[in-house]
Amino acid sequence: MSKVIMRSLLALFLVPILISGCSNTNTADVDEVDLSDMEVTQDQPIKAAFDDRRLKGMIGIAENDYLQLFVDKETASIAVINKQNDEIWYSNPPDRDKDPIVSGINSDILSSQMQLSFYNNFGQSSNMNSYSDSVVYEQFSIEPIEDGAKVRYQFGTNERTAADLPLMLSKERFEELSGQLDGTGQRALMIAYRENAETGIYERNDGALTGMQLERAFQAFEDAGYTEEDLEEDRNELNFTQESENNRVFIAAVEYELEDDSLLVKVPTEEIYYTPDFPIHSISFLRYFGAAGTEETGSIFVPDGSGSLIHFNNGKTNVPSYQQSVYGQDLALLESNDARTNEVIRLPVFGLIKEESAMLAIIEEGAASATIRADVSGRLNSYNFVYPSFTVINKDDVSLQAEDQERSLPRFQEEKMKSDFSVRYVFLSDNDANYSGMARYYQNYLVENDLIRSNQQSEQLDDIPFYVQLVGSVNKQQHFAGVPYQALQPLTTFEQAEHIFEELTARDVNNLKVNYIGWFNKGMNHSVPSKVRVDRAIGGEKGFKNFIDYAEEQGIRVFPETALLQVHNDSGFKSRTEASRTLTNLPASTYPINRALNKRDRSKDPQYSLSPRYVEEYTSQFVEELIPFDTTGVTLRDLADVLNSDFRRNEQIDRIESEEISVHALEMLYEKDLEMMAHGGNLYSLPYLTDVINVPLGHTGFKIQDEAIPFYQMVLRGYVDYASTPFNLSTYLNDQDYILNVLEYGSNINFQWIYESNDELKNTSFDHLYAVNYERWVDQATEIYHEVNEVLRQTKGETIRSHESLEENVYKTTYNNDFYIIVNYGLEPVTIDGYTVEPQSYLTGGEDG
């Protein structure tokens, strides 16, 4: 029997996303589900538990001591009433029908609660939303669950469309089909296709293919016996792509649950279904939850760098909207020439701050696959909004070349992200309705959930830490008899490091915390740490042990640095088997940035991303090798900073799984009672860290942003010690700007030094360390430390209660012990509460000030 192109004769199957944790299950092993068995409709009406006259059309479905949850039976929109201040938070703006700006699809999205993007077989992306692709067709259901409700959506319909007919027919094919039809069929075919006078090809007339005429066209093709083989033949002859919409059907659910003072919103991945022909790329939900209109004042909070505010209605519609991946770039997906160096989102949170209320959103599940997006009014509509999207399946393109022609084919992630996607929304009021209140709430949340721990070692000392990063040795090209070779260039031997400590101690610089870089396995860009061989160029194993003993006697805490996720020296490393793989099945590698040209320099040796499957093994080996040296701790160059996938065929490790592996590695180190200093400081690492260095005192500076805030610092303060980026490698124009910034953010001092001359770094891959000779900085560093220590020693162990902008260029930071610091970055004196703060100066007060 011929395979007639009729939707009614094609089986429509949906493949469910794997349940979180079933990492060994392959898509092909999952039972396929016929869509006809999963049609989504409202079988039983949902009953109201209570109501509110302000919410017309909505019924109350759940309530506790803090919140009430309502749902609209006609649109599936929700609303939450905060009982503390009687504020109503809507999933969709209640006055959206009056928006003078929004139009077309953007109007539909404004009424939707969930959006998804998906690919076709050609790698092209399309979008659907729960309003125009589900609610309009009444393809949704609402059912009560404990303390809330679940809404299930069916995106897309089973109706046949013009896209199911061939896009083109040759003159010969058209005449062949017509010859097998009666007069009615021939007329249907003539209406369905128009001859292109220039090419002689018959092209589908989509504008005429509606209603009865569409059905007649399908009947004509069926009567003529047109088969799938005929379609494939026509596609090859006329060189067109045929994308049928018959499998563009998706099912997803969202759960709303009240839990104490918050609303927990979850999209369970086991209840997301789609066809293999149309894999889902990403899902977003509650895009306009709490969206603020043009008449409201306030800010969007995004966690870029230290934290950032985007003020409502700031008019910046001529610059890109905000979007940034949580935990930074997945290097297995990095584009080869991408040289951007943005700050990173370390904490998976975002929020809205209004005049008398605020909403804090905490991403609890799926953070490693999340992107935070935000925009202001005036671009798409009249609202200011922020929301998360979650990647389900990644895609890359493989380029094929043949006969001077190049073609790109899509390559998709084999399996889906192994995590549900959930966000906890918290509603704040009164004195908590600001970013300080958000930071306090989030810090308490982390403490209660054991996601951050107190640093008792730091609290035992009176003075603040002075962080110094010492570079031991680097690789440098040398020559022997005119032949170039690589050798280690010592920059700070262990004995020279002791000399630096003696100079600092003589200047009363106390509480030294030392990050020692480039001490083993061939320098700063060391080989994989499966073995630890202390570099002889800086003192060897004996010198290192003596150095550790000396530091302990002097009360100096030494943190030797190691890279566990990125391989900077491929000696002993098998990139073919041990490196992560990209979607194009190449080893994941990153080339250094040519700072003069601001692009990747492919003439240099790359660094490789170690496959997550080897991380625990290498960490275990490193720990066993390190422990005999009796160090006080270790510095993690990348374990708290980088998070990479591995797309190796049939052995995929997605970013969610990679995060779990990094946590296991951190636990190995923690169980050995090692104090851990780290670059980065992503959320999942915080329970194990005592110190985080190179913490930004500001945001990336995207044009849509308006103001930097110390949100990250406010969350860490009192639990994890942190320090700024090294002053001597920063962009500060003078000491005073730096001092004011660290005082405002409650940050410790940080310098990066070498003992030898800066000239030793010329003609190396480290010439960006252009000003690191300690002798040029030690006096200046001493002065900065003593000035900052005099102030911040009064806040040791204290959390930050609040941070606020008093006026332009003037900020106040208040600690839990009532001590406060007011900094004035301006060029004119200001008067605050009767006190004068001089330009480029600061004022302290409170308990001891």
Side-chain angles (χ1 to χ4, degrees), residues 15 26 45 48 77 141 197 207 242 258 260 265 300 347 355 475 542 574 653 673 688 719 747 781 820:
V15 179
N26 189 283
S77 62
S141 65
Q242 177 77 17
L258 297 184
D260 296 328
V265 182
I300 301 167
L347 305 175
E355 285 192 86
N475 281 92
K542 182 177 180 180
K574 303 179 183 66
I653 298 176
D673 294 325
Y688 310 99
Y719 290 88
S747 175
Y820 65 81

Side-chain angles (χ1 to χ4, degrees), residues 3-10 158-166 177 181 184-185 187-189 191-193 204 206 208-227 231 242 244-246:
K3 298 179 181 177
V4 180
I5 295 190
M6 294 282 293
R7 185 188 301 267
S8 60
L9 299 182
L10 293 176
N158 291 327
E159 296 179 1
R160 294 183 294 187
T161 70
D164 295 312
L165 295 171
L177 295 175
L181 297 171
T184 301
R187 284 192 296 274
L189 202 61
I191 294 173
Y193 288 85
R204 193 175 63 207
D206 288 1
L209 290 170
T210 59
M212 184 60 69
Q213 188 54 52
L214 178 62
E215 292 303 316
R216 287 171 179 166
F218 275 114
Q219 189 64 47
F221 274 94
E222 182 178 7
D223 292 344
Y226 189 79
T227 67
L231 173 62
Q242 177 77 17
S244 171
E245 295 184 356
N246 63 350

Side-chain angles (χ1 to χ4, degrees), residues 274-452:
Y274 57 91
T275 62
D277 288 339
F278 296 98
I280 293 179
H281 169 52
S282 67
I283 285 180
S284 59
F285 51 84
L286 296 190
R287 179 180 296 204
Y288 295 105
F289 194 22
T294 54
E295 302 301 318
E296 296 185 73
T297 59
S299 301
I300 301 167
F301 158 62
V302 293
D304 170 36
S306 67
S308 176
L309 299 180
I310 301 171
H311 298 323
F312 293 168
N313 314 307
N314 65 12
K316 298 180 180 180
T317 56
N318 60 334
V319 301
S321 59
Y322 175 85
Q323 67 175 52
Q324 204 170 3
S325 299
V326 175
Y327 304 145
Q329 175 71 54
D330 184 339
L331 296 182
L333 295 168
L334 182 70
E335 295 182 8
S336 59
N337 291 320
D338 191 344
R340 291 173 294 179
T341 54
N342 299 333
E343 299 294 353
V344 175
I345 290 179
R346 304 294 182 189
L347 305 175
V349 292
F350 57 91
L352 290 167
I353 304 167
K354 301 188 177 183
E355 285 192 86
E356 297 179 355
S357 59
M359 178 182 75
L360 172 66
I362 303 169
I363 301 175
E364 289 194 336
E365 295 179 279
S369 71
T371 297
I372 296 174
R373 304 174 187 268
D375 206 355
V376 294
S377 65
R379 189 195 312 271
L380 302 176
N381 50 55
S382 298
Y383 300 96
N384 307 272
F385 56 95
V386 60
Y387 67 100
S389 65
F390 297 88
T391 298
V392 180
I393 289 180
N394 286 292
K395 177 193 78 79
D396 203 348
D397 294 313
V398 180
S399 295
L400 301 178
Q401 291 183 330
E403 299 180 355
D404 298 327
Q405 291 185 340
E406 183 172 322
R407 183 183 179 189
S408 292
L409 296 177
R411 181 71 56 78
F412 298 103
Q413 186 173 322
E414 291 177 349
E415 299 179 10
K416 284 65 67 178
M417 293 291 179
K418 298 174 179 64
S419 171
D420 292 336
F421 308 131
S422 66
V423 180
R424 180 178 299 276
Y425 294 89
V426 181
F427 309 97
L428 305 173
S429 57
D430 302 326
N431 294 331
D432 292 326
N434 47 57
Y435 61 82
S436 295
M438 289 178 170
R440 289 195 300 270
Y441 186 98
Y442 189 51
Q443 186 183 65
N444 291 334
Y445 167 88
L446 296 181
V447 171
E448 291 172 1
N449 289 279
D450 295 323
L451 296 175
I452 196 169

